Amino acid sequence: MLNRFRMLVACALTFALCWVPGFAFAGDAADGAQVAATAHGLSYGIEGFERLAKGTARAMEGQPEGYRFPVDEDVDLVVAPAADRVVVWISPKAVEKYGLDPQDNECVSGLRALVCKLDSANCMGGAQLGDMDLPWYVTAETTFDAGGYTYGFDERGADGDRYVVIASASGDAKGGARWLDSAQMVEASSVVLRNEQGPLTSLASFLGGIDYRPFWVSIKTSGLALLIAFALGLFAAWKTMGTSSRIKGLLDSVFTIPMVLPPTVCGFLLLMLFGRSTGVGQWLIAHGISIVFTWPAAVISAVVVSFPLVYRTALGAFESLDTQMLDAARTLGWSERRIFTKLMMPLGWPSIAAGTVLAFARAMGEFGCTLFFAGNYAGITQTIPIAIYFEWMGGNTSVALFWVAVVIVFSFLVILFINMYTAHSQKYRERGLSRAERKQAKDLAGQGDSLDPAGGDALRIDREALAELMRDDAAPQGGR
């Protein structure tokens, strides 16, 4: 069974890796103009073109202030279209290498044609740079002022990440760029040679250029969220069983409602609870604790959406147990905690385990609540679902498809694991008692009854005596 599982995993991963690059490199050359282009007569070309639909102005510790767009380390071409102008930055290294004069319109006309061509291919139905009849301001300076805005093309965060940051004296810097195009300038021959790359070379180049931080953020966030949701879910299910029917219905509704609410509603409620305008948020800030738009906020979001799955499966597993068995354990002097750990958990574990795996998958796939409450910060709160959305919005369809394939493979493995575990547990139930049930029956059989020093037969004798008494009472009644 283990070998079959490994074979299925290998087949799924092979399918994903073979499927994605077919889209990732389609048209990635001079005639396709997906993310790379060049033209006859030019000594340079453009590679790694990326269009970011929007940036963020949210203040975050360790990040530069202003309206910022994250860019790759090797970017040496930035295009920022505004309402009345287009600001273009070319790195000094590229200017020197290709003999460009930023002040000569004819010199940069070929570059303008390439940028407009790639922008049109990556606009996703939005406005196109080529349709905007606006003046171009080209510069090689790291900092540039235009129209009341200050453009910083090589700003750094505390973690070393690179940003293009736009600032304004009025405080509203979003008008400095409707969107942002970025790319690398390379030799024209290197762009043409990409057509001659084999599939394995193209695959290696594609995988080597992906930012894998969303994967590690997702694993780290979902893992910690699962531990918290597992503990809280089991505790809530255990306590809910011992309450009255009216209170039980109320608690069950409260614990289950995150499952049916839209994720954005959950994120909005968390934002209102921990935001700066609420008492809880102000108290936390006064004590030096900031939660909104941080990694702990991503964990809290994942806990909120995954908790109901653990709670519901655990409650269903506990309610399906034989109440007479639990009462027998209480009669033998077992404490409620011992009943929970020695009886309820082992017997309900197959269902609880399936619910736990589903909760982990739900935490991995969380998007709306996390984006609303934790934001989108690369390497901090950007999980795989958020990366898919923003990569697609930025025109990186190939990278978005790669992460989609990763999520599909991961979901397939989760479902496969649940089915295999359920089938494995079902084999023992088909034979009679499960391993856990056999163990608990053995433990109960070895326990002495406090009402009978000889041990173990008080309940059986009482039931037989009661049955005999009922038969004696029924005989004369039948004869009347």
Side-chain angles (χ1 to χ4, degrees), residues 66-343:
Y67 190 54
R68 58 188 180 274
F69 295 84
V71 294
D72 293 335
E73 184 66 30
D74 53 356
V75 162
D76 48 19
L77 174 64
V78 174
V79 181
D84 57 351
R85 76 191 66 83
V86 178
V87 178
V88 181
W89 175 76
I90 306 174
S91 69
K93 180 179 66 175
V95 169
E96 180 181 358
K97 182 176 182 179
Y98 303 111
L100 298 175
D101 182 2
Q103 306 304 322
D104 186 353
N105 292 331
E106 293 184 2
C107 187
V108 296
S109 59
L111 178 64
R112 179 172 180 170
L114 293 181
V115 172
C116 290
K117 183 179 181 181
L118 289 171
D119 180 83
S120 176
N122 292 273
C123 66
M124 293 294 179
Q128 299 182 25
L129 188 62
D131 296 337
M132 302 170 62
D133 188 15
L134 299 173
W136 280 44
Y137 294 83
V138 185
T139 180
E141 301 293 332
T142 305
T143 304
F144 182 73
D145 294 327
Y149 298 96
T150 300
Y151 297 81
F153 298 102
D154 192 18
E155 301 293 330
R156 301 287 174 168
D159 53 0
D161 289 343
R162 184 181 176 187
Y163 297 91
V164 172
V165 181
I166 304 173
S168 174
S170 63
D172 184 12
K174 294 183 179 180
R178 297 173 59 183
W179 70 84
L180 192 82
D181 294 333
S182 63
Q184 300 92 44
M185 298 182 65
V186 297
E187 296 283 352
S189 59
S190 67
V191 178
V192 176
L193 288 175
R194 290 178 67 87
N195 280 335
E196 302 174 1
Q197 290 182 351
L200 294 180
T201 305
S202 299
L203 174 61
S205 177
F206 173 74
L207 296 179
I210 293 178
D211 182 4
Y212 292 97
R213 288 181 297 177
F215 177 78
W216 301 116
V217 171
S218 294
I219 293 294
K220 181 175 63 174
T221 302
S222 302
L224 180 58
L226 179 64
L227 294 178
I228 299 174
F230 181 78
L232 294 179
L234 289 181
F235 182 78
W238 180 37
K239 291 300 182 181
T240 301
M241 282 191 60
T243 58
S244 61
S245 58
R246 181 175 301 178
I247 300 178
K248 181 178 180 180
L250 177 62
L251 292 176
D252 186 70
S253 300
V254 172
F255 293 150
T256 309
I257 196 170
M259 183 185 296
V260 297
L261 285 177
T264 52
V265 174
C266 296
F268 177 77
L269 293 176
L270 289 174
L271 191 62
M272 293 297 295
L273 177 62
F274 295 101
R276 297 176 180 270
S277 60
T278 63
V280 176
Q282 292 176 357
W283 183 87
L284 291 173
I285 293 174
H287 289 77
I289 302 174
S290 179
I291 295 181
V292 179
F293 303 133
T294 62
W295 181 69
V299 175
I300 293 174
S301 301
V303 170
V304 168
V305 299
S306 60
F307 166 82
L309 289 171
V310 179
Y311 164 75
R312 291 300 305 176
T313 53
L315 183 62
F318 294 158
E319 289 180 339
S320 65
L321 299 179
D322 187 0
T323 56
Q324 292 185 350
M325 176 184 61
L326 302 180
D327 291 337
R330 294 187 181 97
T331 304
L332 295 174
W334 285 28
S335 64
E336 292 296 328
R337 180 176 299 179
R338 186 178 183 187
I339 292 175
F340 176 77
T341 57
K342 298 295 184 180
L343 279 179

Side-chain angles (χ1 to χ4, degrees), residues 12-13 15-17 19-20 388 399-411:
L13 291 175
F15 168 77
L17 292 177
W19 173 60
V20 174
I388 292 173
V399 179
L401 286 172
F402 170 80
W403 287 123
V404 168
V406 171
V407 172
I408 291 175
V409 171
F410 183 83
S411 302

